[in-house]
């Protein structure tokens, strides 16, 4: 599949503005995960979505934050920064104070984002409960479906609530490369965007693309990475390293968010629904949250 860079999306959107007669508000959403579906106790997917006007300023300012230090930070990747690994190893000129200041500066900047045009979405899945229920219900929704239901679909729902009644919007999704969440959501988008018998399109036509990006070069994905890492650390605190164990509290305090905890209660509801004749494909396809 052709990878479309954010700048390419902006260029195509600009053409729509020039050639069309409607005011067009492009919205971009960036999603990143934390945890392994095979080995982790918890899996987290975080998404950040905003109007293009927000992302334009974000990319300029975030890049300035990365460069405003010595040595220059090539990107923000929480696993590397907190552990002092990779580009942020001591041998590359980084020490604990410099790594801590980088995270602090990014956190302080995130609170300045326009909360009327920006929102964060988080879903965590308790894999211990999931594996137990999946053993009894072989057709249980996949972890990717559960996370997409409560992040990717919630972003779509937020768009419908906040923008569709006011002005025309185009919605673009970007997942970090190699994320297992992208494929299922992209397939659902393709399925739901097919023409109806009358030749009309449904609301899904507003989603113009689902793409892969490299978080090391795509700045909004670095904010999604921070969110995913913080909430994974919240659920799996380290007894050896307490640094940034409360980062999720600070992020929740400064960013507007929707969060789903897919633990015993939520996953048991899905199992009960299946026991009473629920169909797995309907779980993801509906726009309404499953409660």
């Amino acid at each position: 599949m052709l990878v479309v860079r954010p700048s390419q999306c902006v260029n195509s959107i600009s053409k729509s503005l020039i050639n069309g007669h409607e005011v067009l508000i492009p919205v971009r959403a960036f999603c990143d995960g934390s945890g392994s579906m095979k080995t982790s106790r918890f899996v987290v997917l975080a998404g950040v979505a905003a109007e293009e006007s927000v992302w334009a300023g974000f990319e300029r300012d975030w890049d300035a934050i990365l460069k405003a230090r010595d040595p220059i930070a090539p990107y923000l990747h929480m696993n590397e920064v907190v552990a002092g690994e990779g580009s942020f190893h001591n041998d590359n000129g980084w020490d604990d104070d410099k790594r801590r200041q980088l995270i602090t500066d990014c956190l302080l900047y995130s609170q300045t984002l326009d909360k009327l045009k920006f929102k964060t979405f988080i879903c965590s899945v308790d894999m211990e409960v999931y594996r137990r229920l999946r053993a009894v219900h072989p057709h249980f929704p996949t972890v990717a479906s559960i996370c997409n239901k409560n992040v990717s679909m919630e972003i779509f729902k937020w768009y419908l609530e906040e923008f569709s009644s006011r002005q025309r919007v185009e919605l673009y999704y970007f997942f970090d490369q190699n994320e297992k969440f992208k494929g299922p959501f992209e397939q659902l988008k393709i399925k739901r965007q097919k023409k109806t018998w009358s030749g009309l399109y449904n609301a899904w036509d507003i989603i113009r693309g689902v793409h892969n990006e490299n978080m090391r070069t795509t700045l909004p994905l670095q904010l999604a990475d921070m969110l995913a890492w913080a909430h994974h650390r919240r659920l799996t605190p380290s007894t050896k390293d307490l640094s940034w164990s409360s980062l999720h509290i600070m992020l929740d305090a400064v960013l507007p968010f929707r969060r789903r905890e897919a633990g015993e209660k939520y996953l048991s509801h899905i199992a009960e629904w299946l026991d009473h004749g629920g169909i797995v494909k309907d779980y993801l396809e509906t726009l309404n949250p499953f409660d």
Side-chain angles (χ1 to χ4, degrees):
M1 175 181 177
L2 176 65
V3 174
V4 180
R5 305 293 298 178
S7 58
Q8 290 177 289
C9 290
V10 174
N11 289 337
S12 64
I13 291 165
S14 299
K15 292 178 182 178
S16 297
L17 281 167
I18 294 172
N19 298 327
H21 300 288
E22 296 179 272
V23 175
L24 179 62
I25 303 176
V27 171
R28 283 192 279 156
F30 298 84
C31 301
D32 188 37
S34 181
S36 167
M37 295 183 189
K38 294 183 178 180
T39 61
S40 297
R41 169 63 194 275
F42 291 93
V43 167
V44 176
L45 178 65
V48 291
E51 294 181 18
E52 184 57 42
S53 60
V54 173
W55 290 129
F58 174 92
E59 291 171 333
R60 178 194 64 238
D61 297 339
W62 192 273
D63 184 61
I65 290 171
L66 296 179
K67 292 178 178 177
R69 58 203 71 247
D70 183 21
I72 291 174
Y75 47 78
L76 176 73
H77 185 214
M78 291 298 295
N79 279 338
E80 291 185 47
V81 176
V82 173
E85 298 176 348
S87 298
F88 301 94
H89 193 275
N90 287 5
D91 291 345
N92 293 322
W94 289 86
D95 56 27
D96 288 342
D97 288 339
K98 290 181 179 180
R99 289 188 285 265
R100 188 180 303 111
Q101 191 62 51
L102 172 61
I103 297 174
T104 299
D105 289 346
C106 290
L107 173 64
L108 290 174
Y109 171 69
S110 67
Q111 70 180 338
T112 68
L113 297 172
D114 188 337
K115 296 175 178 58
L116 296 178
K117 301 178 180 179
F118 175 89
K119 204 169 190 71
T120 64
F121 304 80
I122 303 155
C123 177
S124 61
V125 179
D126 187 328
M127 295 302 297
E128 185 175 281
V129 177
Y130 176 85
R131 293 179 186 116
R132 170 165 49 83
L133 293 174
R134 182 68 182 265
V136 179
H137 299 83
H139 299 297
F140 207 81
T142 64
V143 175
S145 292
I146 293 170
C147 289
N148 274 318
K149 170 73 170 180
N150 294 289
V151 174
S152 307
M153 292 288 288
E154 282 296 301
I155 290 171
F156 188 21
K157 182 181 177 184
W158 172 71
Y159 145 71
L160 293 173
E161 293 172 348
E162 298 295 327
F163 300 103
S164 62
S165 63
R166 295 190 284 121
Q167 293 169 304
R168 185 183 168 203
V169 181
E170 290 183 342
L171 180 57
Y172 299 83
Y173 285 84
F174 299 90
F175 289 78
D176 190 15
Q177 57 187 356
N178 301 321
E179 287 289 1
K180 297 183 182 299
F181 306 102
K182 172 184 175 286
F185 184 68
E186 184 176 27
Q187 290 303 311
L188 178 62
K189 176 193 80 76
I190 293 171
K191 175 183 176 182
R192 293 303 299 269
Q193 283 183 327
K194 291 180 179 179
K195 288 185 177 181
T196 64
W197 66 270
S198 61
L200 299 176
Y201 287 95
N202 58 30
W204 285 75
D205 188 51
I206 208 70
I207 300 177
R208 304 307 298 270
V210 181
H211 307 293
N212 281 323
E213 286 293 331
N214 184 341
M215 63 84 58
R216 287 172 171 77
T217 58
T218 304
L219 302 182
L221 277 175
Q222 296 172 24
L223 177 58
D225 171 77
M226 176 185 276
L227 282 162
W229 184 93
H231 281 276
H232 194 266
R233 174 59 67 96
R234 169 179 66 89
L235 295 165
T236 56
S238 172
T239 57
K240 297 180 180 179
D241 182 9
L242 298 178
S243 61
W244 298 106
S245 59
S246 299
L247 179 59
H248 69 281
I249 297 176
M250 293 179 277
L251 286 168
D252 288 354
V254 301
L255 296 176
F257 69 94
R258 295 182 184 180
R259 182 167 68 220
R260 169 67 70 185
E261 306 281 352
E264 183 77 43
K265 181 179 179 180
Y266 182 80
L267 296 175
S268 294
H269 281 175
I270 297 178
E272 292 172 6
W273 176 65
L274 291 172
D275 286 339
H276 289 83
I279 302 174
V280 172
K281 70 180 182 64
D282 291 339
Y283 166 79
L284 180 57
E285 291 187 13
T286 175
L287 287 178
N288 296 321
F290 184 91
D291 292 308

